[in-house]
Amino acid sequence: MSPKLTFLLCLGLSVGLRTSGQAGIYRKPSLSALPSPVVTSGGFVTLQCISWQGFDRFILTKEGEHRPSWTLDSQRRHNGQFQALFPVGPVTPSYRWTFRCCGCYRYIHQQCSEPSDPVELLVPGVSGKPSLLSQQGSIMTFGRNLTLQCLSDVGYDRFALSKEGGHNLPQRLSERPQTGRSQADFLLGRVSLSHGGRYRCYGGHKFSSKWSTPSDPLDILVAGVLPDTPSLSVQPGPTVAVGENMTLLCQTRSQRDILFLSKEGTMVSPLRLRSKYQAQQYQAQFSMSPVTSAHGGTYRCYSSFSTSPYELSHPSDALELVVSGPSGDPTSPPTWPNLTSGGSEDRLSATESGQWKGVQGLKPYQNVLIGISVAFVLLLFLFVLLLIRHRQQGKCRTSDATVKNTQPEEGVELHPQAAASDAPQDVIYAQLNHLTLGRKTTPPSSQSEEPPAEPSVYSALAIH
């Protein structure tokens, strides 16, 4: 049977022997990719075509210009379903890999089912990765509607959403809310247990087989699965000043090895710590040091198992944390800053030890201003020192002009008028104290005494 005829049969079209009343008589099978529709370049994947109807064989068709097809006999599973496993590969980004399958009966002439929904294999590329977020937060309760939004600064035409361990890859055409931006909303319906897991999204162009780098992972956690309700307390108290240390304690009497701490009103993933058994309870301590204004808000904690980390307990009672300013006056709790975006405001960083640390960084212009101020103070200090030194040197030159050194070996200096006079003169002592000269005069000698041959003049120089 030619590939074209096989494809027409999968579509349920009449080729001459089939009437329009027979169309849709067999329900379409299900097609999925194992282990995942996301395949690395050059990798292999298995396409599973499965149905509850007892088809003798399944036909896999690749969409494209030539529409090649492959046929395999069906195999019966232990649960009563019929399936065929088609190995595909190596998969490369050079082509689009979109498939459908249908089930047929061997002995009923040209009787095949409707084609399955298409499955496209995705090979991640290197173009700019989009962002994936949930407007409702990462912790969901049963019955709430879940919408995941994939957006990018790159003008992608379509987006694909993958779930870790999932076998399908839903796609949505993008919207352009702003020039140069693109986004798509994935409406996943009311939350059930199956919605818990790790998601990523990809951006692509309409007529290209190439996809973007995957977004950062987004974990969706379903609360209320486990029956226990933990308790949440804070030390030293619910009101704390900026810069102090604080610890949130989550406890449960049920045997749980994982405890989560979340903050309301933020899209940041909750903190996760392994529990320790102490005082007949399983507990974990979430430290916040030093506390900043960004830590203010409402907190809850949950318990879980490490083997099923997306299934949580009921939430603890809400704990309101108020952060007071330096003066002790309470400040209104701000919204939790977004960890995935940049900014100069204080940010909370999650660490492996369960600490949220306030990162308080100075702005670049503040660093420059501080550096200029320090340099100015240093230059001013040097200028004052040079000015003082200059004045001291000027005084020294003035003293040298009035006092001559006649006995260099003893450090004695004579006044110039004293050396030129032959008459008896007063005895003059010149003392330089702190680079200043002082004069001391002794009374003249008695008339009866013979005048000395030469006047005695003393000059003392003292530098302290």
Side-chain angles (χ1 to χ4, degrees):
M1 186 179 296
S2 67
K4 183 176 181 179
L5 180 59
T6 302
F7 178 73
L8 291 175
L9 290 176
C10 282
L11 290 178
L13 300 177
S14 173
V15 290
L17 297 177
R18 201 170 166 193
T19 65
S20 59
Q22 294 172 309
I25 190 173
Y26 303 117
R27 288 186 298 178
K28 61 185 178 182
S30 175
L31 182 63
S32 58
L34 304 177
S36 170
V38 180
V39 189
T40 58
S41 180
F44 292 81
V45 69
T46 298
L47 297 180
Q48 180 191 50
C49 191
I50 191 169
S51 174
W52 284 102
Q53 292 186 318
F55 295 117
D56 298 316
R57 55 181 178 170
F58 291 95
I59 301 171
L60 179 70
T61 304
K62 183 177 184 292
E63 293 186 357
E65 182 180 356
H66 302 291
R67 297 186 184 277
S69 64
W70 300 265
T71 302
L72 287 179
D73 292 338
S74 65
Q75 300 173 346
R76 186 163 185 170
R77 290 165 53 92
H78 60 84
N79 61 355
Q81 288 181 302
F82 292 84
Q83 70 170 14
L85 301 176
F86 296 88
V88 177
V91 180
T92 63
S94 303
Y95 305 96
R96 292 186 65 170
W97 300 77
T98 305
F99 298 87
R100 295 176 185 263
C101 77
C102 63
C104 299
Y105 288 102
R106 188 186 307 275
Y107 301 107
I108 301 178
H109 189 58
Q110 296 177 347
Q111 292 294 309
C112 292
S113 70
E114 295 180 3
S116 67
D117 293 332
V119 168
E120 182 175 359
L121 303 181
L122 186 152
V123 181
V126 295
S127 59
K129 68 179 180 181
S131 299
L132 181 62
L133 55 90
S134 168
Q135 296 291 349
Q136 303 93 333
S138 59
I139 297 181
M140 302 292 296
T141 55
F142 285 108
R144 292 186 63 188
N145 289 321
L146 176 61
T147 300
L148 300 184
Q149 186 178 72
C150 190
L151 62 160
S152 174
D153 291 332
V154 180
Y156 292 119
D157 299 312
R158 55 179 179 155
F159 290 96
L161 180 69
S162 70
K163 180 185 177 185
E164 198 169 277
H167 307 312
N168 298 315
L169 195 70
Q171 296 187 28
R172 298 288 185 273
L173 294 178
S174 67
E175 301 174 355
R176 301 291 179 90
Q178 300 178 15
T179 303
R181 292 181 62 88
S182 55
Q183 70 178 52
D185 294 337
F186 293 86
L187 308 178
L188 303 185
R190 294 186 178 275
V191 173
S192 64
L193 189 60
S194 62
H195 285 91
R198 176 163 291 183
Y199 294 82
R200 291 180 174 87
C201 76
Y202 305 79
H205 297 285
K206 187 179 301 182
F207 302 107
S208 173
S209 60
K210 297 180 180 180
W211 290 87
S212 71
T213 302
S215 68
D216 293 331
L218 172 65
D219 291 340
I220 296 299
L221 313 175
V222 181
V225 179
L226 303 180
D228 63 306
T229 301
S231 63
L232 182 61
S233 59
V234 58
Q235 293 293 335
T239 301
V240 63
V242 171
E244 293 184 352
N245 298 330
M246 181 183 57
T247 300
L248 294 176
L249 178 64
C250 183
Q251 296 176 308
T252 179
R253 294 189 179 276
S254 302
Q255 186 175 356
R256 306 285 186 260
D257 58 348
I258 296 294
L259 294 175
F260 289 87
L261 178 67
S262 70
K263 183 182 179 185
E264 293 184 359
T266 177
M267 291 182 289
V268 178
S269 298
L271 290 182
R272 163 180 164 170
L273 282 181
R274 285 194 172 273
S275 65
K276 295 180 180 180
Y277 186 70
Q278 188 174 354
Q280 298 182 345
Q281 293 196 88
Y282 293 87
Q283 63 182 25
Q285 295 182 353
F286 297 87
S287 299
M288 299 182 184
S289 58
V291 172
T292 69
S293 59
H295 286 100
T298 302
Y299 293 83
R300 298 178 187 270
C301 76
Y302 304 79
S303 67
S304 182
F305 292 107
S306 58
T307 54
S308 52
Y310 306 110
E311 301 174 4
L312 306 185
S313 68
H314 295 281
S316 67
D317 292 335
L319 176 64
E320 185 75 19
L321 181 61
V322 178
V323 179
S324 61
S327 61
D329 298 329
T331 57
S332 58
T335 57
W336 193 324
N338 188 354
L339 299 187
T340 61
S341 65
S344 60
E345 72 275 4
D346 294 349
R347 291 178 288 164
L348 303 180
S349 56
T351 65
E352 291 296 329
S353 61
Q355 284 190 335
W356 278 311
K357 293 185 177 180
V359 182
Q360 299 179 340
L362 290 176
K363 296 180 180 179
Y365 73 85
Q366 291 177 326
N367 293 327
V368 174
L369 184 60
I370 291 174
I372 293 175
S373 301
V374 173
F376 178 77
V377 172
L378 291 176
L379 290 175
L380 181 61
F381 180 72
L382 291 176
F383 176 76
V384 173
L385 289 179
L386 291 174
L387 182 60
I388 294 174
R389 181 178 179 86
H390 176 73
R391 290 183 176 180
Q392 291 176 348
Q393 291 177 348
K395 292 180 179 181
C396 289
R397 286 194 294 267
T398 303
S399 301
D400 292 341
T402 57
V403 181
K404 290 185 179 180
N405 185 5
T406 59
Q407 296 180 0
E409 68 281 4
E410 296 180 359
V412 178
E413 293 182 356
L414 299 180
H415 192 278
Q417 294 180 357
S421 175
D422 295 331
Q425 299 291 337
D426 294 341
V427 178
I428 299 174
Y429 298 89
Q431 183 178 5
L432 182 64
N433 187 8
H434 293 287
L435 301 180
T436 60
L437 291 176
R439 294 173 58 96
K440 293 182 181 180
T441 305
T442 59
S445 59
S446 174
Q447 296 294 330
S448 62
E449 296 179 358
E450 293 293 329
E454 293 184 359
S456 298
V457 180
Y458 300 90
S459 176
L461 178 65
I463 301 177
H464 301 283

